[in-house]
C-alpha cells in the first residue's frame, strides 16, 4: 500500500478522495494539460470527472517529486523520466537543448506516473514448471505496461530466498525502489542491488566485484545491453531479464531481439498476456 500512497500523494490533493478507494488497482496515473486526470487499470485508461489538469498541476507534482528542486533535477529529467521511491514519472513537453544535447524542459504538457506493485505468488506455478531441473536463463515478455517489472521483482525474490546469490542492475531505481541503502521492496535474502547505473556498466561491475550466480536486469533495449548479456553468459553467470514483446514470435520479428536470441543467451521465456482484468503467466522454452 505504501507505493500506491506515494504515487497518490504526488497528485493534486483534490483527486485524493476520489482515487484512494481504487488506488491499489491502479497501474498508472496520466496528467495532460487541459484534459481530465485519468488512470490505467488492467491496461485500459479511464478519465476522472472534475477539474481539468493545468500546467501548474504538473509543476506542483514535479516539485513534490524533486523536493522543490526542479532546477537541480533538470539534468536527470532530460532523459524523459524521473524515479521517486519506485514511482517512475514519464515527462512530455517542450525540451531545452544546449549544444545539441537535451538539458531539460522549457514547459511540461503531460506526465505519466507508473505505480510499482509487489504481487507475491504470481509466478510460482510457472517457475516450478520452467525450473523443474534447475534454473534456466529466462526472458520475461509482455507489451509495455503488461507487468514485466512486477514479475521480475517477484522472480528475483523467490530465487534469492531459495538461497541463490543474485545481483540486480536497477538502472532506474524501479525494481528495488530504494531510499538510500534501504530497498522499498523485498528482493530476497541473498540479493545485492546496484542502482542509478546503466545496465551494461552495472553488469560489468557486478561480475568483477560481487561473484553473482544470477544477474537480473529490466528492459533490454539497446545494443550496449546485448554486449552486457554476452559478457554475463560468457562468464557462466545466470541471467534474468525483461523485454518488450507480446510473444516469442513478436520478439523474433524485432532486429535487436533477433540478435539477442542469436546469442543463445536465454533458454526460457515467461510470457505475460492480459485477458480482461486477469494476467496469465506461461512458460516457454526456446528451441
Amino acid at each position: 500500500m505504501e507505493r500506491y500512497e506515494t504515487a497518490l500523494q504526488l497528485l493534486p490533493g483534490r483527486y485524493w478522495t476520489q482515487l484512494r478507494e481504487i488506488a491499489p488497482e491502479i497501474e498508472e496515473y496520466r496528467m495532460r494539460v487541459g484534459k481530465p486526470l485519468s488512470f490505467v487499470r488492467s491496461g485500459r485508461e479511464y478519465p476522472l470527472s472534475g477539474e481539468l489538469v493545468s500546467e501548474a498541476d504538473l509543476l506542483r507534482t514535479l516539485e513534490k517529486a524533486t523536493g522543490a528542486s526542479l532546477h537541480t533535477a533538470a539534468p536527470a529529467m532530460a532523459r524523459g523520466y524521473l524515479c521517486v521511491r519506485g514511482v517512475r514519472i514519464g515527462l512530455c513537453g517542450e525540451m531545452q537543448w544546449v549544444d545539441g544535447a537535451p538539458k531539460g524542459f522549457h514547459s511540461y504538457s503531460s506526465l505519466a506516473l507508473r505505480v510499482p506493485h509487489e504481487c507475491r505468488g504470481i509466478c510460482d506455478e510457472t517457475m516450478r514448471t520452467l525450473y523443474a531441473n534447475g534454473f534456466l536463463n529466462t526472458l520475461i515478455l509482455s507489451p509495455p505496461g503488461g507487468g514485466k517489472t512486477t514479475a521480475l521483482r517477484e522472480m528475483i525474490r523467490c530465487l534469492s530466498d531459495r538461497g541463490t546469490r543474485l545481483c540486480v542492475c536497477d538502472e532506474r531505481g524501479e525494481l528495488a525502489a530504494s531510499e538510500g541503502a534501504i530497498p522499498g521492496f523485498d528482493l530476497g535474502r541473498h540479493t545485492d542491488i546496484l542502482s542509478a547505473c546503466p545496465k551494461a556498466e552495472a553488469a560489468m561491475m557486478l561480475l568483477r566485484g560481487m561473484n553473482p550466480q544470477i544477474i537480473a536486469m529490466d528492459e533490454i533495449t539497446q545494443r550496449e545491453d546485448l554486449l552486457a548479456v554476452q559478457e554475463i553468459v560468457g562468464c557462466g553467470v545466470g541471467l534474468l531479464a525483461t523485454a518488450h514483446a507480446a510473444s516469442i514470435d513478436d520478439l523474433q520479428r524485432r532486429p535487436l531481439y533477433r540478435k539477442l536470441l542469436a546469442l543463445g543467451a536465454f533458454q526460457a521465456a515467461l510470457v505475460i498476456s492480459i485477458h480482461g482484468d486477469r494476467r496469465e503467466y506461461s512458460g516457454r522454452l526456446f528451441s
Side-chain angles (χ1 to χ4, degrees):
M1 180 62 73
E2 179 186 349
R3 299 300 148 193
Y4 312 140
E5 192 67 23
T6 295
L8 185 63
Q9 290 191 14
L10 291 172
L11 302 174
R14 64 181 182 271
Y15 298 115
W16 293 356
T17 300
Q18 194 174 358
L19 288 167
R20 187 159 270 131
E21 289 185 4
I22 56 172
E25 303 171 15
I26 291 176
E27 297 158 8
E28 292 184 11
Y29 297 106
R30 314 289 296 205
M31 301 176 70
R32 301 179 179 95
V33 174
K35 302 291 194 301
L37 185 139
S38 61
F39 63 89
V40 176
R41 182 172 58 188
S42 299
R44 299 176 64 181
E45 188 169 345
Y46 302 89
L48 286 179
S49 58
E51 188 177 338
L52 302 182
V53 173
S54 67
E55 186 174 3
D57 290 327
L58 270 60
L59 289 169
R60 280 192 290 270
T61 293
L62 292 173
E63 285 173 355
K64 291 179 187 177
T66 60
S69 297
L70 265 176
H71 178 73
T72 303
M77 293 163 65
R79 298 172 300 182
Y81 69 90
L82 186 66
C83 200
V84 183
R85 297 187 295 281
V87 178
R88 181 171 52 168
I89 305 175
L91 310 166
C92 277
E94 183 185 359
M95 292 204 72
Q96 177 184 10
W97 292 73
V98 178
D99 297 328
K103 295 298 180 183
F105 284 80
H106 281 300
S107 60
Y108 301 93
S109 58
S110 58
L111 303 178
L113 288 75
R114 182 170 295 183
V115 184
H117 292 77
E118 187 173 47
C119 300
R120 298 204 173 200
I122 56 173
C123 305
D124 285 357
E125 185 175 345
T126 306
M127 291 177 69
R128 278 195 294 270
T129 302
L130 282 179
Y131 303 153
N133 298 310
F135 177 76
L136 301 173
N137 290 355
T138 304
L139 196 58
I140 302 171
L141 308 179
S142 85
K148 295 183 297 298
T149 301
T150 302
L152 177 59
R153 189 181 290 123
E154 174 61 3
M155 292 180 75
I156 290 169
R157 185 192 65 81
C158 289
L159 290 165
S160 177
D161 279 348
R162 294 174 189 174
T164 302
R165 194 168 56 253
L166 205 147
C167 287
V168 176
C169 306
D170 196 8
E171 180 174 353
R172 294 182 302 210
E174 287 185 84
L175 277 169
S178 297
E179 293 187 53
I182 309 300
F185 286 112
D186 178 9
L187 295 186
R189 294 191 300 271
H190 300 92
T191 299
D192 303 296
I193 303 159
L194 180 57
S195 59
C197 180
K199 290 187 288 292
E201 295 176 29
M204 297 305 99
M205 294 168 68
L206 293 169
L207 284 171
R208 288 193 294 265
M210 296 305 294
N211 188 26
Q213 293 173 300
I214 297 174
I215 287 180
M217 59 176 66
D218 203 6
E219 294 190 4
I220 294 175
T221 56
Q222 301 181 58
R223 176 179 172 275
E224 290 79 4
D225 300 338
L226 298 187
L227 297 176
V229 165
Q230 193 169 16
E231 190 74 20
I232 291 167
V233 174
C235 291
V237 174
L239 186 58
L240 187 59
T242 69
H244 290 304
S247 63
I248 291 177
D249 287 342
D250 184 24
L251 190 77
Q252 292 171 332
R253 284 193 288 268
R254 304 186 186 194
L256 178 76
Y257 294 142
R258 280 202 301 272
K259 292 179 183 178
L260 179 68
L261 295 179
L263 293 176
F266 292 96
Q267 294 94 43
L270 184 145
V271 182
I272 305 171
S273 53
I274 301 176
H275 305 279
D277 292 337
R278 181 176 57 87
R279 283 179 169 81
E280 181 179 292
Y281 301 84
S282 57
R284 301 284 187 273
L285 297 178
F286 289 114
S287 55

